[in-house]
Amino acid sequence: MDSLFEKITLYDFLGYAVPGCVCLLMLLAEWILTMPMETLEHLEAFGVGLGLIFLLLGYVLGVFLSQVSRSVFDPLVDLWELLCKKIRLESAERNIVDEETLKSALQKSGLVCGEIKGNIPDDYMMLMYGAVQVDPDYKRIHNYSSAACMYKNMAAALMAGGAVWYISGYWDNSWICLWFLIAAFYWVRWRRFEKKKNDYAMVWFVEKYNS
């Protein structure tokens, strides 16, 4: 059991378990609130076991939410970035390191076979992040990655749970609007920490191979 818990990382807990448990709690809230007191008292005897089962189910649901959020949110972000470039909107996310500096670091790293071309840094972001995150000198990047994953999946969890509550008639329009504003807050936090993670990945990658 100890070795199992040692393999659970901050990324797993914050990125998957926490959002999944929040969503699961929302899905089960009405059933729990209407449960007879005798049943609740009977379930208290299995508190630890039920807690572990709830955490496990929350983790599984969190993984599912992560895939859904990636399929839904990422295309929306790509569409927004494309729109910003088309109309030359100043708020479009810009890279903290210029392409020539990144290209030089990629060449010196020896991690790219053949000519370096395409959209830099987008096409090479995962490679740069991977090269940095395995280096103990730059382990702080895990914190930004975990936070970005948590905020992204929390936004998906709140949207999914709020939609279920609205469809079931549990909430009226005013409550659901407030709930989706909270989900939008987590969306903004995701974009912020995702940008921080990518910026640090580029800066530390250049520092590692261009110094």
Side-chain angles (χ1 to χ4, degrees), residues 30-67:
E30 187 174 4
W31 176 67
I32 294 173
L33 292 174
T34 57
M35 188 179 294
M37 186 60 65
E38 294 80 9
T39 304
L40 290 174
E41 291 175 353
H42 179 71
L43 291 175
E44 285 182 3
F46 307 95
V48 176
L50 287 176
L52 290 175
I53 293 173
F54 182 83
L55 185 62
L56 179 61
L57 290 176
Y59 177 82
V60 173
L61 181 57
V63 173
F64 174 76
L65 285 172
S66 179
Q67 187 59 46

Side-chain angles (χ1 to χ4, degrees), residues 1-210:
M1 182 66 71
D2 291 338
S3 61
L4 175 62
F5 285 113
E6 287 173 0
K7 293 178 181 178
I8 298 177
T9 64
L10 185 67
Y11 188 91
D12 291 315
F13 183 74
L14 293 180
Y16 301 126
V18 171
C21 287
V22 169
C23 187
L24 186 61
L25 187 61
M26 292 181 66
L27 296 177
L28 298 178
E30 187 174 4
W31 176 67
I32 294 173
L33 292 174
T34 57
M35 188 179 294
M37 186 60 65
E38 294 80 9
T39 304
L40 290 174
E41 291 175 353
H42 179 71
L43 291 175
E44 285 182 3
F46 307 95
V48 176
L50 287 176
L52 290 175
I53 293 173
F54 182 83
L55 185 62
L56 179 61
L57 290 176
Y59 177 82
V60 173
L61 181 57
V63 173
F64 174 76
L65 285 172
S66 179
Q67 187 59 46
V68 171
S69 65
R70 177 176 296 182
S71 302
V72 175
F73 291 169
D74 288 1
L76 290 177
V77 171
D78 292 340
L79 183 62
W80 169 253
E81 285 301 302
L82 180 62
L83 178 63
C84 287
K85 290 176 182 177
K86 288 288 186 183
I87 63 176
R88 297 181 181 179
L89 191 65
E90 288 297 324
S91 61
E93 294 182 355
R94 290 172 289 183
N95 298 321
I96 197 171
V97 183
D98 64 89
E99 290 190 9
E100 289 302 317
T101 304
L102 289 172
K103 189 173 183 179
S104 174
L106 286 166
Q107 290 171 336
K108 292 178 181 179
S109 70
L111 298 173
V112 181
C113 297
E115 182 184 358
I116 297 174
K117 55 184 179 180
N119 187 4
I120 302 173
D122 292 348
D123 292 346
Y124 299 93
M125 182 57 69
M126 290 304 297
L127 184 147
M128 290 188 286
Y129 173 76
V132 168
Q133 65 98 18
V134 296
D135 192 324
D137 292 336
Y138 306 110
K139 62 182 180 181
R140 191 153 56 96
I141 199 170
H142 290 287
N143 298 336
Y144 295 109
S145 182
S146 299
C149 184
M150 182 190 71
Y151 289 132
K152 182 179 185 180
N153 293 340
M154 187 67 78
L158 293 176
M159 289 180 182
V164 170
W165 281 16
Y166 180 73
I167 292 172
S168 64
Y170 199 69
W171 272 350
D172 58 19
N173 291 336
S174 58
W175 277 108
I176 201 66
C177 288
L178 176 61
W179 198 253
F180 274 89
L181 281 176
I182 297 173
F185 165 78
Y186 279 102
W187 168 287
V188 172
R189 295 289 292 177
W190 161 52
R191 293 307 304 153
R192 179 184 176 186
F193 276 85
E194 184 74 12
K195 183 68 166 59
K196 276 189 173 184
K197 183 197 75 174
N198 292 341
D199 285 346
Y200 276 112
M202 286 186 284
V203 170
W204 287 337
F205 186 84
V206 169
E207 178 186 284
K208 182 175 181 180
Y209 291 106
N210 267 4

